């Protein structure tokens, strides 16, 4: 099962996504991977990382930090079972690929989608979290607008490929494709 979860900042999408992956994976667990894409820059990001780690505690996730090059994430089957993977979050991964010196730069969309294809071929369940950053009506500088354009392309591709596309609004899931789960 491939699910894409979107929502605004503070919408509840992270909690929803974790609980959804647990439900899809079933009670047996034991092979859950959380791919973390937020680099620890500054107090705010460190605080968010700590909060997300606390949310995952006791849920059987193994964390794989991946700031760029998604296709390089290493994991394996356990007891003949492919892992269930939660990737959080696409907006961080896109920014990292676009702006880091060692990132994919202009090839960020292709690099990320190649990584998604790799994950789909190697997982039982894949839940990808992304952000809704398009409705605020604000025009940003050229660099930010370019980033938003690339994230929009990625989000459209995720929506076309996934089984379920859901937006979390004030902790309420709104299904646009597939679902409810």
């Amino acid at each position: 099962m491939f699910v894409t979860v979107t929502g605004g900042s503070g919408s509840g999408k992270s909690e929803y996504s974790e609980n959804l992956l647990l439900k899809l994976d079933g009670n047996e667990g034991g092979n859950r991977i959380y791919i973390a894409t937020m680099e620890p820059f500054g107090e705010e990001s460190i605080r968010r990382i700590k909060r997300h780690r606390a949310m995952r505690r006791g849920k059987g996730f193994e964390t794989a930090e991946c700031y760029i090059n998604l296709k390089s994430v290493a994991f394996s089957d356990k007891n003949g079972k492919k892992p269930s993977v939660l990737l959080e979050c696409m907006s961080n991964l896109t920014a990292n690929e676009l702006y880091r010196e060692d990132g994919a730069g202009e090839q960020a969309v292709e690099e990320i989608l190649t990584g998604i294809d790799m994950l789909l071929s190697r997982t039982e369940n894949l839940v990808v979290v992304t952000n809704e950053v398009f409705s605020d009506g604000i025009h940003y500088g050229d660099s930010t607008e370019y980033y938003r354009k690339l994230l929009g392309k990625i989000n459209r591709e995720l929506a076309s490929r996934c089984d379920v596309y859901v937006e979390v609004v004030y902790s309420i899931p709104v299904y646009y494709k597939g679902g409810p789960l």
Side-chain angles (χ1 to χ4, degrees):
M1 171 75 61
F2 176 24
V3 181
T4 302
V5 180
T6 190
S9 178
S11 65
K13 64 187 174 293
S14 295
E15 181 178 10
Y16 173 84
S17 298
E18 286 179 21
N19 291 333
L20 175 61
L21 190 78
L22 295 176
K23 181 178 178 181
L24 293 172
D25 190 46
N27 293 329
E28 63 277 355
N31 201 7
R32 296 180 185 137
I33 311 294
Y34 180 96
I35 301 175
T37 63
M38 180 182 279
E39 290 192 78
F41 288 127
E43 290 180 35
E44 175 61 25
S45 64
I46 291 169
R47 194 170 29 256
R48 288 180 132 196
I49 289 167
K50 285 180 181 178
R51 183 174 57 89
H52 281 244
R53 285 181 180 158
M55 286 172 53
R56 291 193 308 275
R57 192 171 295 124
K59 294 180 180 176
F61 283 100
E62 177 185 326
T63 300
E65 294 181 8
C66 178
Y67 309 131
I68 60 169
N69 195 13
L70 184 57
K71 64 185 179 285
S72 72
V73 175
F75 53 82
S76 58
D77 296 358
K78 289 185 182 173
N79 300 321
K81 182 182 179 215
K82 290 181 178 182
S84 290
V85 173
L86 174 57
L87 169 63
E88 185 158 359
C89 113
M90 189 53 64
S91 58
N92 289 323
L93 183 60
T94 302
N96 295 342
E97 287 288 6
L98 183 59
Y99 297 118
R100 272 182 53 151
E101 191 172 299
D102 56 347
E106 299 288 321
Q107 303 303 313
V109 172
E110 294 80 10
E111 178 71 21
I112 289 169
L113 294 176
T114 298
I116 291 294
D117 289 340
M118 180 278 300
L119 289 175
L120 286 171
S121 72
R122 298 183 53 215
T123 59
E124 184 72 27
N125 300 292
L126 175 61
V127 176
V128 175
V129 179
T130 190
N131 277 298
E132 200 299 301
V133 296
F134 310 101
S135 343
D136 60 9
I138 298 172
H139 179 76
Y140 297 92
D142 291 344
S143 180
T144 302
E145 288 298 327
Y146 182 66
Y147 159 78
R148 288 177 10 137
K149 178 182 176 183
L150 294 186
L151 182 59
K153 284 181 181 181
I154 293 166
N155 286 351
R156 285 192 308 272
E157 279 297 317
L158 294 175
S160 72
R161 297 174 184 199
C162 69
D163 302 302
V164 176
Y165 194 89
V166 57
E167 180 179 12
V168 179
V169 182
Y170 301 111
S171 298
I172 300 168
V174 178
Y175 294 91
Y176 294 104
K177 179 180 180 183
L181 298 172

